[in-house]
Amino acid sequence: DGRDRRAVELPEVVTDDGLVWKIGPGLSFSFNDNQNVVGQPDGWAMTLDLALPASIGYRVGGHELRGAFDGQFAASRSTALPEFIKSKDVFAFDADYLYHAIEILGPYVHFGLETATFPGYDTRVSTSIWAVARRDGSAERWTGTRFRLTDPFLPITFRESVGLFVHPYSSDSFTLETRAGFGGLHTLAEGQLVVSDDGGTDDLEVKELYSFDQAAVEMGVALFGQYFENKISWRV
């Protein structure tokens, strides 16, 4: 779908009763101004990048709850395109409930969602024509330099699954977790648009998206660990 999305990082296995959490907000900003620089166009460029990943884990007896949130947004302006455009937009949440029937084995339930917070646009340097093909067979043509494709929080995808987990081995430096179960995926996208241009015409071809549901067997393996009191961590 064109978004730059890193996986939401759920907390590692919570082995002791109590609450663990971490949050890692990030902000980066860059500004560059060229004036009479050989080989560079005159003008200024700016990039702003925000990130707010957070995770939480809670354990009481055999009940374990894990949750994670991932919020990302980036916008940039260049000398070639003198207006701010969105280059990254992620709003994602994942939650797991695991019941340790025995310490290394039990059932799990998973829920997740992923979407974008702000509207999506296709922005061009020069005047362009977008040819929209609707699912009902109708067609539209729009002219300009900016065309709106998606609404806030659309498309949105929900995921849920249920199954069994196994922790065959667990330590601070190396933990192995496996899962197998049945899952569903649901995407709400009615009326949203996507550019699907093949370059065969001067017009930019746009298609209308649609909602859909899927279901399938789910299997997964996770490897993770930490060293030096969580100063160095790794995950696969």
Side-chain angles (χ1 to χ4, degrees):
D1 59 6
R3 283 178 284 168
D4 180 9
R5 162 85 157 92
R6 68 174 181 268
V8 175
E9 183 179 338
L10 292 168
E12 288 79 11
V13 178
V14 184
T15 56
D16 301 321
D17 285 3
L19 179 70
V20 295
W21 61 275
K22 60 182 176 181
I23 183 171
L27 169 64
S28 64
F29 170 82
S30 65
F31 177 82
N32 184 60
D33 186 18
N34 290 324
Q35 299 296 330
N36 301 319
V37 178
V38 176
Q40 299 289 340
D42 289 348
W44 58 275
M46 181 185 296
T47 300
L48 176 66
D49 195 331
L50 304 171
L52 184 62
S55 64
I56 187 171
Y58 180 73
R59 176 80 180 263
V60 55
H63 304 277
E64 181 182 352
L65 181 65
R66 308 177 194 173
F69 170 78
D70 189 16
Q72 300 180 50
F73 179 77
S76 60
R77 179 197 187 277
S78 66
T79 55
L81 190 61
E83 66 175 278
F84 282 94
I85 61 172
K86 180 177 71 171
S87 55
K88 186 193 305 180
D89 187 2
V90 173
F91 182 96
F93 172 79
D94 281 87
D96 284 348
Y97 167 74
L98 303 92
Y99 177 68
H100 296 257
I102 58 176
E103 184 59 30
I104 65 169
L105 172 68
Y108 76 90
V109 177
H110 171 79
F111 172 79
L113 68 85
E114 181 182 345
T115 186
T117 308
F118 301 100
Y121 293 89
D122 184 35
T123 306
R124 304 285 169 162
V125 175
S126 58
T127 301
S128 302
I129 299 175
W130 289 268
V132 183
R134 296 288 181 180
R135 295 183 61 229
D136 60 7
S138 62
E140 304 169 4
R141 288 166 60 88
W142 299 83
T143 302
T145 58
R146 195 175 191 223
F147 182 65
R148 180 161 171 161
L149 298 172
T150 59
D151 298 326
F153 297 102
L154 286 174
I156 184 169
T157 296
F158 299 94
R159 302 180 308 278
E160 69 279 338
S161 59
V162 60
L164 291 174
F165 72 88
V166 180
H167 293 155
Y169 182 80
S170 180
S171 68
D172 288 342
S173 59
F174 180 84
T175 296
L176 171 64
E177 177 175 295
T178 63
R179 294 187 183 188
F182 187 79
L185 181 148
H186 317 278
T187 295
L188 305 180
E190 288 297 329
Q192 308 306 297
L193 304 174
V194 61
V195 176
S196 58
D197 187 52
D198 59 8
T201 65
D202 292 335
D203 295 350
L204 298 170
E205 297 170 351
V206 179
K207 291 183 179 179
E208 185 178 18
L209 299 175
Y210 58 90
S211 300
F212 64 90
D213 301 284
Q214 293 179 326
V217 172
E218 174 184 84
M219 300 183 68
V221 177
L223 309 171
F224 46 85
Q226 61 185 31
Y227 300 92
F228 307 113
E229 298 179 348
N230 205 24
K231 292 182 174 62
I232 298 176
S233 63
W234 64 276
R235 187 178 185 91
V236 178

